[in-house]
Amino acid sequence: MINILFPHKRYSFINESVLEDLSDENIDLIERHKIKLKLKKGEVLFHEGTISIGLYILRSGKIKKYNSGIEGKQHIFYLVKEKELLGHHALISGEPHSGSAACLVNCEVDIIPKDIFLQIMYSSDIVLNKLLKSMAHEFGVFTNNSRILAQHSVRERCAISIIKLKEFLGDANGGFKISRKDHSNIVGTSVESLVRVLHDFKEEELIEVNQNNLITIKNPIGLVEISNMV
């Protein structure tokens, strides 16, 4: 029901895998040159303002992309799931990373050297087209979320975030768990304000929140109405 009512595509963190249809030659090229990396929850993959050392392929886990502001406060502008890429914006533009990337959970990452990534990109029209489509989607999500931050109330933004996070992080039963700090940095508010809104939603029987802070949607239509997106 919620997928019909809410305009997911324009706001969804879920993106198409760029490397799904690689040729055997390019798969072999990646396998021969990749560097495997294991990171624990909370560890940073790369920092804003640093120079990219290569392309990052997220093999398992979930990663947040964010900017840091006054007193280290974060603005989380995108989430990345398994099989997606990171660092390609900086490689293609030749500029430093425009944001930082850190692990929401334990992650496994492959690092592909810059020259190998560019060789694959320029030798495959399929990869190039998928890469352009993926970057266009991410840019669209970023601009739409910027509008939400500027024009929607905290209550509306919180409802939107729950809908999006359920889609991205939801387990088999539709519940999801994320730290209150990360959740507030996605909504663009303080932890205290987020907790108050979540309490209100629980009292209004829109969501359930168990003792482990697992959030489950009870009334999807009510959340969509509050989101002011339709």
Side-chain angles (χ1 to χ4, degrees):
M1 174 64 73
I2 201 166
N3 291 324
I4 298 172
L5 294 172
F6 187 82
H8 274 272
K9 188 65 177 175
R10 288 183 290 158
Y11 305 95
S12 175
F13 293 126
I14 296 178
N15 206 345
E16 182 178 328
S17 176
V18 173
L19 303 179
E20 225 169 41
D21 300 313
L22 284 177
S23 66
D24 292 340
E25 180 183 355
N26 284 332
I27 291 174
D28 179 63
L29 196 60
I30 289 175
E31 289 299 315
R32 284 190 285 113
H33 291 89
K34 71 181 181 182
I35 300 169
K36 292 185 177 181
L37 194 64
K38 289 188 177 182
L39 298 171
K40 294 182 179 180
K41 178 180 178 179
E43 286 193 273
V44 176
L45 182 61
F46 55 77
H47 288 278
E48 180 179 351
T50 58
I51 302 298
S52 180
I53 63 171
L55 176 74
Y56 302 92
I57 304 175
L58 181 57
R59 292 303 185 188
S60 67
K62 299 284 192 299
I63 283 179
K64 62 181 179 180
K65 297 174 70 173
Y66 63 94
N67 297 116
S68 297
I70 299 172
E71 298 180 354
K73 183 172 176 58
Q74 295 178 3
H75 165 51
I76 298 175
F77 58 85
Y78 205 78
L79 300 180
V80 181
K81 65 177 178 60
E82 297 87 346
K83 298 181 181 180
E84 290 189 18
L85 310 180
L86 298 103
H88 49 296
H89 303 81
L91 287 179
I92 294 171
S93 68
E95 299 175 352
H97 290 294
S98 58
S100 301
C103 301
L104 288 170
V105 296
N106 293 344
C107 294
E108 294 184 357
V109 177
D110 289 345
I111 305 176
I112 312 302
K114 176 181 178 179
D115 58 331
I116 300 299
F117 164 63
L118 294 178
Q119 179 181 333
I120 292 172
M121 183 181 75
Y122 289 124
S123 67
S124 172
D125 288 340
I126 293 175
V127 171
L128 184 58
N129 289 335
K130 281 191 170 185
L131 188 62
L132 290 173
K133 185 177 179 181
S134 172
M135 293 175 69
H137 170 75
E138 189 171 338
F139 178 73
V141 172
F142 178 79
T143 55
N144 283 319
N145 287 340
S146 296
R147 178 178 58 81
I148 289 171
L149 282 172
Q151 299 180 2
H152 287 250
S153 68
V154 172
R155 181 176 165 88
E156 291 169 341
R157 298 201 306 266
C158 191
I160 294 167
S161 74
I162 291 171
I163 295 169
K164 291 169 58 179
L165 289 170
K166 182 262 182 185
E167 179 195 32
F168 187 83
L169 297 173
D171 59 22
N173 297 315
F176 70 89
K177 187 176 180 180
I178 188 170
S179 74
R180 292 291 183 258
K181 184 175 181 181
D182 282 335
H183 196 166
S184 67
N185 288 336
I186 291 172
V187 174
T189 189
S190 66
V191 173
E192 293 77 13
S193 294
L194 171 73
V195 169
R196 282 195 295 270
V197 175
L198 291 178
H199 178 267
D200 290 344
F201 285 176
K202 186 177 178 181
E203 291 293 306
E204 295 163 30
E205 298 187 347
L206 296 166
I207 62 172
E208 286 183 354
V209 183
N210 71 11
Q211 292 180 340
N212 295 318
N213 288 330
L214 183 78
I215 297 174
T216 306
I217 296 175
K218 290 181 65 179
N219 183 355
I221 295 177
L223 278 182
V224 171
E225 289 175 348
I226 290 172
S227 75
N228 197 21
M229 298 298 293
V230 290

